[in-house]
Structure formats: structure tokens, C-alpha cells
Amino acid sequence: MTVPERQVHEFPAVIVGAGGAGLWAALELAREGIDTAVLTKLYPTRSHTGAAQGGICAALGNHEEDHWEWHMFDTVKGGDYLVDQDAAEVLAREAIETVLELEHMGLPFNRTPDGKIDQRRFGGHTRNFGEAPVRRSCFAADRTGHMILQTLYQQCIKFGVRFFDEYHVVDLIIEGGETRGVVAYRIADGEMHVFRSPAVLLATGGFGRMFRITSNAHALTGDGPALAYRHGIPLEDMEFYQFHPTGIVGIGILLSEAARGEGGYLRNDAGERFMEKYAPKLMELGPRDVISRAMYLEVREGRGIGGGDYVHLDLTHLGRAVIEAKLPDITEFARVYQGIEPITQPVPVQPTAHYAMGGIPTDVMARVVIDEKNTALPGLYAAGECACVSVHGANRLGTNSLIDILVFGRRAGRDMARHVRRNGVPDVPADVAEPVRAELEALRTRPVGENPNHIRAELASVMMDECGVFRTGTSLVRAYNVVCDLKDRYRRAQVQDRGRVFNTDLLEARELGYLLDCAEATVMSAMARTESRGGHYREDYPQRDDTEWLQHSLAYRTEGRPEMRYKPVSITHFEPKPRTY
Ligand SMILES: Cc1cc2nc3c(=O)[nH]c(=O)nc-3n(C[C@H](O)[C@H](O)[C@H](O)COP(=O)(O)OP(=O)(O)OC[C@H]3O[C@@H](n4cnc5c(N)ncnc54)[C@H](O)[C@@H]3O)c2cc1C
């Protein structure tokens, strides 16, 4: 079956995703006068970037001395030396101009008394190569991401970016070794649309929904990485997934690290600030992997609150004025979801699955690369949380994602502009949408089969319990077997809603397939890596092993087990050292 002519579109540039990464890329292209389509399954301002609370870092030095070299060092050390240092240098240098450009676009940052952008502390950001915490995170109260998204969206409208809201991208068109566009499913009526384009950016965000307790929005299901994986592109460093220490108990909604940046404490059942034992210098401002593990250990040794599986985040000493001015949203979450008054009571918290360090491999121009030699796939780009450039290595520092999505979203837009000037809109076969249309139809009309909700719940549980903060060879084998079994059952998945109009049941089932692919690559990469580094902690291999493992993993999809390959880490300034805080 061919897609009707009116549903075939041509654009010099197509962007999948309207979070911070996608919007900034679109803005760069539109400013160059390039007709750009942004396809997004959510209304743009509902993208997860809008949920980011704490801040965006740049070594502006508005309160105290700071330098991009210090920021670069912290990023490399925070990532347990798996960071590509050429990329970290780009991040730390360009962070400064990027934040200033946001300011010039009108983003309402909090201000210092003399009118500069205000800055606060965040975990792992230090002065003078690790001496003590530094104030590097710029913020708009605890709604920084919301303000970024609104500001960029307004700019995109101003420059005439074409938005296709509620278009769910369901396939990439890659033929003859080059990018030719995407296939999208229009949520309103279930029609397939083909977008022909020589340049496509994947900016689809994370995949935290593969875990039971997560801070991630419902839509974060790894669509971009899974679609790339299905087209033979490897997924890089998937074993590194970050658990954020302070999620609301049981539901995982995030209480930003800004709470600790403003001076909040973590306490165990005895009321002790237990981080003294684990990160004596930085305490509650140690990196997230270290703090999440410390919390689990406290709980395991019986020092969780009342013997339970959580600890306390204590803000009571900060006082009403600070809490109301700088942490209004997250304290409201504690009131609404927990019935706790953070001004007078400690808040129960536990680690929550938060951020994917791994993803689609790219170079520093955000071009997707497909092998150990960093060979670029012409016309395909990735930026933001779905990409792995890799600036976060084995563990990301707080506030380094918002800056990553903007710095590399901007670079993607600029390189795409160069690419489309040299390449016209490509041809695609008339029946290019057929394979994915047939897959969706089979899913929509299967008369009997497995309930996708059950598969999703089982996946989230096994990932949380067997491939979470702590892992062992045995737990990972168990996880792998379950994921394989779930993939098998997924082939027979059946949805309840048979309609074509706003069939979210169908799309959620489709997204479950993406989560299963991401989970498969994650578990396989974690099984292979017999060391502990950053967010990947193997109890059976508790040491970091630079001789064997100072390398990035690449998981390739096959008919059976994913194939693992490895590529070197770029080291330009800082030789790997043991990581102490
Ligand atoms: C609660 C929370 C708080 C955070 N706080 C901070 C913070 O303070 N500082 C910080 O640096 N980082 C923070 N992070 C991390 C950071 O916000 C994210 O990593 C970042 O915003 C991701 O941006 P993105 O542009 O890559 O994707 P997103 O903002 O997630 O956007 C993804 C886009 O892709 C689209 N999309 C996805 N799949 C498809 C598809 N199949 N078809 C069409 N469109 C699709 C969606 O519609 C959406 O527009 C936080 C994250 C969370 C969850």
C-alpha cells in the first residue's frame, strides 16, 4: 500500500522531538532560512525538558571565581573517566555562550542583587579541580526546564519553524547508507505520513520508563534509540543508567538536587548525616551514583527510616523564606503527594531511575556514528538524552543535561544546515511506509494475545530489581532471561482499543517494544562489563578496572543476543585517577 500524495511531505530538515535539544536545533536551522519540520508525539511544551527543576550549569563565575576548565574536569571525574574529553571540552566552553544566549532570548533567570544571573551549588561541581563546591548552576527558581522550553518554543514560532504536533514517528528511512526521512503516525486519525528529508535529527529524550520507580514522564520510552537500533545502529554505554537519590518514596517523582544545593541534609533513622562516611568532603553534594549507593547501603544495614527502604531529606533548617523563594515547586510536591510539610518535617526519599547516560552514538557535531572508528551515517543526527556523545561517561552531574541538550542541539542544527545545503530532498520508494504500517495493523487488530500492560509491569520490575543500583552476574542473567521471554510474549501483544482515532492504547503498546529493545541492550551491556564504574555497580566486580574497561560499549542488534563491540575513550587533558569526594 502506498501513502496518499497529500500525506507525503518534503523538508530540507526534519527534527524528531520538541524538547530542549530538538527546539534549539530547529531554531538554528530556521534562523538560516531553512524550512524545518519538528515532529513531536507530545505537544511541544509538554516535553520532559519542561519538568527539569534544578538548573543549567555554566562557569559564569557570577558569585565566585570559576573556569570552564574546572567545569570540564568535574564532568570528566563525575563520569568516572569514561567521558570523551574532546566532547566535555566543547560542553564546558560552549555552556557559557549558550546560557548567555538564553538570557538574551529573554529567559527569566533568578538574579543576584547586582543583576547578574544567580547561581547555586550542585553535586560534583567544584572549584579548582575538586577543592570544594562551587556555585555554577543557573536557575529560574525550581522551574528552569519549563522556562527553557517556553523561551525556545517562542523563538521557534517567531522564526517560522513548522510544527507537526502529535505525530508519532514510527520508522526511520535509511536507504543506500544514507538518511532519507521518517515515517510518522498521526495520532488524531491513525494515518501514516512520510517525511522525505536529507537530514534527520533524533531528539526523543530518555527511556526511564523501563524501570518501576522513575522520575521520567510517561512518554520517555526510548523511541529514537530503539528505531536506530532496529536499523543496525549500535547503542553506546547502555549499562550506565543513573538513579537520582531523592525521589518521592514509592512513586519516584523527583525532588530536585537543588534541595541539597541550597543546603538540605540526608539523614538515616538515627538522624545521622550518613554521607560523612561516603563522601566526607562534598557530603550531600557528592555525585549521584555515590549517594544513591550510600542510601541503599544504609537501608540494607537497617538504618532506613523505621527500618523501611527510604531515608530523610531534611530541609527544616533552611527556613521558610529560602524554601518558598528557591524551592517552591518541589516542596509543593511533598505536600501534595506525601502530605508532608517540608518547612517543619523531613521528607521521605529513595533513589529513582532518572537519566540515561548511554544512547545513540554521535561525534561532537551530533552526527550519528555507527562503529568503533566513528564512521558517520550521512544525514542522521542525534542530540539530547537519546544521544551519547559522550559527555556524561559513566555518571552525569546534576545540571549537565540541560546544558548538554542545548549545546549539542545547537551544534546539530548548525551541521544540519551545512548538510542540507549540499544535499537535496531524496527520493524514497512509494511503499516505504508499508513495513511499519503492517506492524501497527497487526498489533491493532490481533484478536487474542498478551496484555501489553502486564509485559510492561514485569519489565519495569525486573529492571528495577535485577539491573538497578546494584547488579551481579547472576541478577543480570535473570534479567536477560526475563527480557527475552517478554520480547517473545510481546510478539503476540494485543491491544483493547481497535479504533483509529487517538488510539493511545496502540501507541503505548508500540512504545513498549522500544522499551524492550532498550532493556535488552542495557542488560547485555551490563552483563558484559565486569567492573564497577559510575552508575554501573557490579557487586561481584566492585573495582573500576581501567586496564580492561576504559572503553565505550556498543551493543548491536542481531536476531539472537546483541553483539558487543568496544571503542576507545578520548582522553585529552585528564589522566584517569581514582575518584574520591
Ligand atoms: C523530573 C526531571 C528533572 C530534571 N531536572 C534536571 C535539571 O534540573 N537539570 C538538568 O540538567 N537536567 C535535568 N533533568 C534531565 C533533563 O531534563 C533531560 O535529560 C532533558 O530535558 C532531555 O531533553 P531532550 O531534549 O533530550 O528530550 P525531552 O525534553 O525529553 O523531549 C523529547 C521529545 O521527543 C518527542 N518524542 C519522543 N518520541 C517520539 C516519537 N516516537 N515521535 C515523535 N516525537 C517523539 C517528545 O514528544 C518530546 O518532544 C531532569 C529530568 C527529569 C525527568
Side-chain angles (χ1 to χ4, degrees):
M1 241 166 92
T2 56
V3 167
E5 198 63 27
R6 64 176 187 285
Q7 287 160 222
V8 179
H9 314 262
E10 287 178 24
F11 281 93
V14 164
I15 289 171
V16 186
L23 290 182
W24 200 311
L27 186 55
E28 287 298 322
L29 285 152
R31 278 176 180 157
E32 297 275 324
I34 294 166
D35 198 12
T36 301
V38 173
L39 278 60
T40 168
K41 65 180 181 180
L42 301 172
Y43 190 74
T45 50
R46 296 191 75 87
S47 304
H48 193 70
T49 296
Q53 304 161 351
I56 176 165
C57 61
L60 302 181
N62 285 352
H63 281 279
E64 52 192 327
E65 186 181 353
D66 200 2
H67 302 282
W68 69 260
E69 291 90 341
W70 296 355
H71 181 190
M72 175 184 170
F73 170 77
D74 291 337
T75 301
V76 170
K77 179 179 173 191
D80 224 351
Y81 293 90
L82 195 73
V83 170
D84 281 332
Q85 297 188 12
D86 54 342
E89 178 170 344
V90 166
L91 181 86
R93 275 177 184 272
E94 294 184 10
I96 296 168
E97 64 196 61
T98 304
V99 166
L100 294 180
E101 203 178 334
L102 271 181
E103 181 188 30
H104 296 162
M105 289 179 200
L107 192 139
F109 283 113
N110 278 41
R111 299 279 163 183
T112 63
D114 56 351
K116 294 182 183 152
I117 296 175
D118 200 359
Q119 294 187 280
R120 63 179 158 212
R121 294 184 176 138
F122 247 80
H125 290 280
T126 69
R127 75 172 138 79
N128 206 14
F129 308 104
E131 246 173 43
V134 76
R135 294 173 72 163
R136 186 176 290 149
S137 164
C138 312
F139 59 97
D142 51 6
R143 308 180 187 113
T144 314
H146 172 85
M147 297 303 183
I148 290 175
L149 211 49
Q150 300 290 334
T151 304
L152 290 175
Y153 187 50
Q154 286 164 9
Q155 293 288 316
C156 284
I157 296 292
K158 176 172 158 189
F159 284 92
V161 172
R162 301 265 297 276
F163 282 92
F164 291 81
D165 298 339
E166 297 181 333
Y167 279 64
H168 209 293
V169 171
V170 285
D171 204 4
L172 309 179
I173 310 174
I174 297 172
E175 305 243 339
E178 60 176 36
T179 307
R180 301 196 178 195
V182 299
V183 180
Y185 170 100
R186 188 159 71 177
I187 303 177
D189 56 12
E191 293 290 341
M192 307 302 284
H193 286 248
V194 171
F195 289 78
R196 290 169 47 200
S197 178
V200 171
L201 170 67
L202 297 173
T204 59
F207 40 85
R209 281 281 147 185
M210 72 184 177
F211 295 98
R212 188 176 63 237
I213 306 271
T214 176
S215 68
N216 280 199
H218 201 72
L220 293 176
T221 47
D223 306 16
L227 290 175
Y229 188 55
R230 291 173 189 187
H231 279 275
I233 295 158
L235 297 181
E236 181 174 348
D237 289 343
M238 292 293 280
E239 60 272 47
F240 300 102
Y241 199 91
Q242 176 170 85
F243 284 74
H244 189 296
T246 55
I248 289 184
V249 171
I251 46 180
I253 291 177
L254 194 74
L255 299 176
S256 167
E257 191 172 310
R260 283 170 286 133
E262 293 295 344
Y265 298 151
L266 290 170
R267 296 186 192 278
N268 61 18
D269 197 43
E272 294 158 349
R273 287 179 67 192
F274 56 86
M275 284 312 296
E276 237 159 21
K277 284 181 286 188
Y278 305 94
K281 214 154 51 169
L282 295 188
M283 297 286 287
E284 282 88 352
L285 290 177
R288 291 174 178 172
D289 55 335
V290 173
I291 299 182
S292 289
R293 273 196 295 280
M295 289 166 72
Y296 261 81
L297 288 174
E298 290 295 303
V299 163
R300 225 189 244 188
E301 287 163 17
R303 292 188 293 275
I305 305 300
D309 60 355
Y310 60 90
V311 299
H312 272 150
L313 170 66
D314 183 2
L315 307 176
T316 55
H317 55 287
L318 299 182
R320 181 182 292 275
V322 170
I323 291 180
E324 285 180 353
K326 296 199 170 159
L327 305 169
D329 275 11
I330 61 166
T331 41
E332 195 56 23
F333 293 162
R335 290 183 195 112
V336 170
Y337 296 107
Q338 298 178 288
I340 297 274
E341 176 44 68
I343 295 172
T344 54
Q345 292 173 290
V347 185
V349 289
Q350 71 182 169
T352 181
H354 184 58
Y355 183 82
M357 271 76 73
I360 307 164
T362 73
D363 62 15
V364 292
M365 303 311 297
R367 291 182 296 214
V368 171
V369 295
I370 54 171
D371 58 22
E372 306 90 317
K373 296 191 213 86
N374 289 326
T375 310
L377 197 164
L380 191 63
Y381 293 78
E385 192 171 335
C386 71
C388 178
V389 44
S390 126
V391 285
H392 309 302
N395 171 61
R396 168 174 77 80
L397 294 184
T399 71
N400 254 355
S401 173
L402 288 179
I403 198 65
D404 162 20
I405 67 177
L406 301 187
V407 164
F408 290 98
R410 189 164 83 140
R411 283 184 154 239
R414 289 182 181 172
D415 205 72
M416 287 169 85
R418 277 194 286 276
H419 184 79
V420 305
R421 283 205 193 89
R422 292 192 302 263
N423 295 276
V425 174
D427 291 332
V428 301
D431 60 351
V432 71
E434 184 49 29
V436 65
R437 193 198 62 80
E439 278 172 31
L440 284 165
E441 274 303 283
L443 185 57
R444 189 176 67 85
T445 55
R446 192 168 290 131
V448 284
E450 292 276 348
N451 183 334
N453 297 333
H454 296 164
I455 300 178
R456 194 186 259 250
E458 285 173 49
L459 174 71
S461 280
V462 78
M463 291 303 287
M464 194 78 196
D465 299 337
E466 313 285 14
C467 188
V469 173
F470 288 99
R471 297 143 179 206
T472 64
T474 331
S475 79
L476 290 166
V477 169
R478 271 200 302 268
Y480 187 73
N481 290 336
V482 173
V483 171
C484 289
D485 178 47
L486 294 176
K487 284 192 80 160
D488 217 37
R489 284 168 54 192
Y490 178 74
R491 290 190 191 100
R492 300 186 299 274
Q494 179 221 1
V495 298
Q496 302 300 311
D497 184 351
R498 299 291 169 81
R500 292 185 185 277
V501 174
F502 277 97
N503 191 343
T504 50
D505 198 23
L506 174 69
L507 291 171
E508 283 176 20
R510 174 86 188 164
E511 290 169 343
L512 172 60
Y514 301 145
L515 287 175
L516 285 163
D517 280 354
C518 291
E520 171 188 271
T522 302
V523 175
M524 190 67 210
S525 309
M527 243 180 342
R529 188 174 286 269
T530 48
E531 65 154 356
S532 290
R533 183 187 297 271
H536 171 69
Y537 192 84
R538 289 276 304 249
E539 290 190 274
D540 43 354
Y541 295 94
Q543 302 302 324
R544 193 177 90 191
D545 176 0
D546 286 343
T547 328
E548 277 292 313
W549 287 111
L550 189 61
Q551 47 182 349
H552 297 291
S553 66
L554 298 172
Y556 289 80
R557 185 166 187 263
T558 73
E559 284 310 307
R561 282 175 163 235
E563 179 192 333
M564 297 305 304
R565 297 194 212 156
Y566 293 89
K567 69 174 184 183
V569 175
S570 139
I571 296 175
T572 57
H573 286 54
F574 307 109
E575 279 305 316
K577 292 215 180 88
R579 205 172 54 138
T580 53
Y581 283 97

